[in-house]
């Protein structure tokens, strides 16, 4: 059987191969847990914004630029890292990525100026750019054919880390101040050790001989045409843009919105941000599992277009309804990303690192751009008006109608193979 990320095994044989191999659950869980540790460290950056906004006398535009430095650094580097590791896999680059995030974390704890915070954010972004493409490749390698489910398990670790970060910030950083961020250095060190073990497994898999597939599937480029595949990738990137640009309004400004609009305390707002992050984690896990069951196009329709009524209603409701709607929005929007990633990997087989880097990079980049634009808009108008403007972004999800039906591609090799046997 061919490697799971080569995209060359015929669909008819894939279910049997998956059943025989099964996911390497220990590796998948280790990747998910280390993803959580990595993103917990990263989530401390926006979680500390209310503190450094006062201590460093920052405005919303500067807060947005810090997020921009973090997320754009990640987005610019990730595709290049993915392309490079497609050609030359680097088993221990995961540990290096976590190390850079550790350095950025320590810089956040000691930052005394806006410029220093910018550099700290960029350092954490560089760590993400190295971690995500290769981690996504290892997750697919360990999937045993259950690509959507395994991708969601990998991603839910990151979502859990993003959710727990604000909670720990409310319990530890807010009472003890900015310097207490350094207490989380142990989290990053443990993540480095865990990823070192994953790197050893990955290195051994790379050294193992690769069996040759007996039947090769028709590639999407051969079946639909290269230009159709390129446009499909562009559409998937547009869906990623709409999702992450909108979600940046929560990751960077949800606490400010709750504080300004409803008069909540910093700690209470962080707790609600944790609840929102928890809904993202659950939505990611459910979305990957359902994508394997009912199809990834259906998940994208439900996740991005289906969330539109809730995002439009959010800026006009009271606190209880705001919390309820934010949970629904987080759950639905998060369910799309595993489907988008795996759909793109199926469109461009054999380019797992490039696709992982491109889409994780796009996610970070659009989050950073969204944070910067919404910060400028909030300074010029109000945080409430910024939420009203970005609430219509999920309408971009209607572009899903132009994506190709990969189930037709999967039927092609089986039919060809059957015809060959009959002849």
């Amino acid at each position: 059987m061919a490697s799971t990320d080569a995209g060359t095994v015929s669909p008819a044989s894939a279910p049997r191969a998956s059943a025989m191999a099964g996911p390497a659950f220990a590796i998948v869980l280790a990747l998910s847990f280390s993803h959580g540790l990595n993103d917990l460290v990263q989530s401390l950056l926006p979680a500390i914004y209310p503190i450094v906004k006062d201590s460093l006398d920052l405005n919303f535009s500067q807060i947005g630029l810090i997020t921009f430095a973090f997320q754009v650094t990640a987005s610019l580097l990730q595709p290049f890292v993915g392309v490079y590791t497609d050609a030359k896999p680097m088993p221990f680059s995961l540990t290096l990525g976590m190390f850079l995030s550790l350095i950025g974390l320590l810089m956040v704890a000691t930052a005394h100026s806006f410029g220093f915070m910018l550099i700290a954010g960029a350092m954490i972004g560089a760590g993400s750019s190295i971690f995500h493409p290769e981690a996504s490749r290892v997750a697919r390698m360990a999937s045993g054919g259950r690509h959507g489910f395994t991708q969601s398990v990998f991603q839910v670790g990151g979502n859990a880390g993003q959710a727990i970060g604000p909670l720990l910030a409310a319990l530890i950083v807010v009472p003890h101040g900015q310097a207490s961020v350094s207490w989380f250095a142990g989290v990053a060190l443990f993540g480095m050790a865990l990823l070192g073990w994953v790197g050893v497994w990955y290195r051994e898999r790379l050294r193992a001989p690769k069996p040759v597939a007996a039947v090769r599937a028709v590639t999407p480029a051969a079946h639909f045409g290269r230009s159709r595949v390129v446009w499909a990738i562009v559409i998937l990137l547009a869906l990623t843009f709409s999702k992450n640009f909108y979600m940046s309004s929560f990751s960077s400004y949800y606490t400010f919105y709750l504080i300004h609009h409803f008069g909540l305390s910093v700690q209470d707002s962080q707790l609600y941000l944790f609840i929102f992050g928890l809904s993202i984690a659950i939505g990611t896990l459910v979305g990957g599992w359902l994508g394997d069951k009912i199809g990834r196009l259906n998940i994208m329709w439900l996740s991005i277009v289906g969330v539109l009524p809730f995002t439009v209603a959010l800026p006009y409701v009271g606190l209880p309804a705001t919390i309820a709607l934010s949970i629904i929005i987080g759950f639905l929007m998060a369910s799309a990303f595993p489907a988008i990633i795996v759909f793109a990997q199926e469109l461009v087989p054999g380019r797992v690192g490039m696709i992982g880097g491109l889409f994780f990079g796009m996610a970070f980049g659009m989050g950073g751009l969204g944070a910067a634009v919404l910060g400028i808009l909030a300074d010029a108008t109000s945080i409430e008006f910024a939420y009203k403007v970005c609430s219509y972004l999920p309408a971009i999800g209607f572009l899903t109608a132009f994506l190709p039906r990969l189930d037709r591609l999967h039927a092609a090799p089986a039919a060809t193979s059957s015809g060959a046997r009959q002849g």
Side-chain angles (χ1 to χ4, degrees):
M1 187 186 77
S3 172
T4 55
D5 62 352
T8 57
V9 178
S10 72
S13 64
R16 293 192 294 273
S18 301
M20 288 186 292
F25 281 111
I27 295 299
V28 173
L29 292 177
L31 282 169
S32 180
F33 189 71
S34 60
H35 194 187
L37 298 180
N38 182 77
D39 285 21
L40 186 155
V41 169
Q42 295 169 14
S43 71
L44 292 173
L45 181 64
I48 203 176
Y49 284 168
I51 295 176
V52 296
K53 185 176 186 296
D54 293 333
S55 64
L56 301 182
D57 193 26
L58 305 180
N59 56 35
F60 283 126
S61 297
Q62 289 173 313
I63 292 291
L65 287 173
I66 294 170
T67 303
F68 183 78
F70 157 58
Q71 294 181 322
V72 170
T73 302
S75 69
L76 289 177
L77 292 178
Q78 282 199 45
F80 295 103
V81 172
V83 169
Y84 182 82
T85 55
D86 275 336
K88 297 181 179 180
M90 301 174 62
F92 297 102
S93 61
L94 300 172
T95 306
L96 174 61
M98 184 70 78
F99 174 72
L100 293 180
S101 294
L102 169 62
I103 298 300
L105 177 73
L106 296 176
M107 292 180 68
V108 168
T110 57
H112 51 78
S113 67
F114 168 64
F116 204 79
M117 282 293 296
L118 278 178
I119 297 173
M123 185 66 70
I124 294 174
S128 289
S129 72
I130 295 174
F131 173 82
H132 285 98
E134 200 71 338
S136 182
R137 180 204 308 281
V138 180
R140 187 173 178 89
M141 181 181 289
S143 69
R146 300 175 65 189
H147 303 312
F149 174 73
T150 302
Q151 188 65 223
S152 69
V153 171
F154 166 64
Q155 290 180 23
V156 81
N159 296 147
Q162 292 171 7
I164 294 171
L167 180 63
L168 294 178
L171 298 176
I172 297 174
V173 179
V174 172
H176 298 283
Q178 179 181 349
S180 64
V181 171
S182 63
W183 299 355
F184 294 91
V187 170
L189 289 172
F190 179 74
M192 290 172 62
L194 187 60
L195 289 171
W197 174 72
V198 172
V200 171
W201 179 89
Y202 182 21
R203 182 184 61 190
E204 295 305 312
R205 284 296 300 269
L206 291 173
R207 291 174 175 174
K210 305 295 189 298
V212 179
V215 180
R216 292 187 175 271
V218 177
T219 64
H223 185 76
F224 297 111
R226 186 178 182 85
S227 61
R228 181 84 186 276
V229 170
V230 170
W231 277 113
I233 293 294
V234 171
I235 290 172
L236 292 173
L237 289 172
L239 300 183
T240 303
F241 159 78
S242 69
K243 171 187 174 296
N244 287 87
F245 197 104
Y246 178 81
M247 293 290 270
S248 69
S249 68
F250 279 86
S251 60
S252 293
Y253 301 110
Y254 189 48
T255 55
F256 293 115
Y257 179 78
L258 294 176
I259 292 168
H260 183 267
H261 195 61
F262 298 110
L264 298 185
S265 67
V266 172
Q267 283 186 309
D268 286 343
S269 68
Q270 296 281 16
L271 290 174
Y272 286 125
L273 183 59
F274 164 73
I275 293 173
F276 173 74
L278 190 61
S279 72
I280 291 177
I282 296 172
T284 300
L285 190 60
V286 173
W289 174 73
L290 275 180
D292 285 338
K293 298 290 184 181
I294 68 174
R296 308 190 210 291
L297 280 177
N298 293 328
I299 291 296
M300 284 184 252
W301 274 112
L302 176 64
S303 176
I304 300 180
V305 179
V307 80
L308 184 60
F310 304 107
T311 60
V312 172
L314 181 72
Y316 303 97
V317 298
L319 179 60
T322 294
I323 303 306
L325 287 176
S326 68
I327 293 172
I328 296 171
I329 290 168
F331 178 88
L332 288 177
M333 280 201 149
S335 65
F337 201 51
I340 291 173
I341 288 285
V342 177
F343 195 93
Q345 289 172 344
E346 292 172 349
L347 280 170
V348 191
R351 297 290 184 177
V352 176
M354 182 193 74
I355 291 297
L358 182 63
F359 280 85
F360 278 108
M362 182 71 171
F364 280 103
M366 289 304 100
L369 179 62
V373 171
L374 293 174
I376 294 171
L377 183 62
D379 280 334
T381 56
S382 67
I383 194 71
E384 291 84 358
F385 182 76
Y387 267 81
K388 292 177 182 178
V389 169
C390 67
S391 67
Y392 293 95
L393 281 170
I396 293 176
F398 285 106
L399 290 174
T400 303
F402 297 98
L403 289 173
R405 293 285 303 273
L406 292 184
D407 54 344
R408 297 173 183 171
L409 167 65
H410 291 168
T416 302
S417 178
S418 175
R421 287 194 298 269
Q422 291 173 3

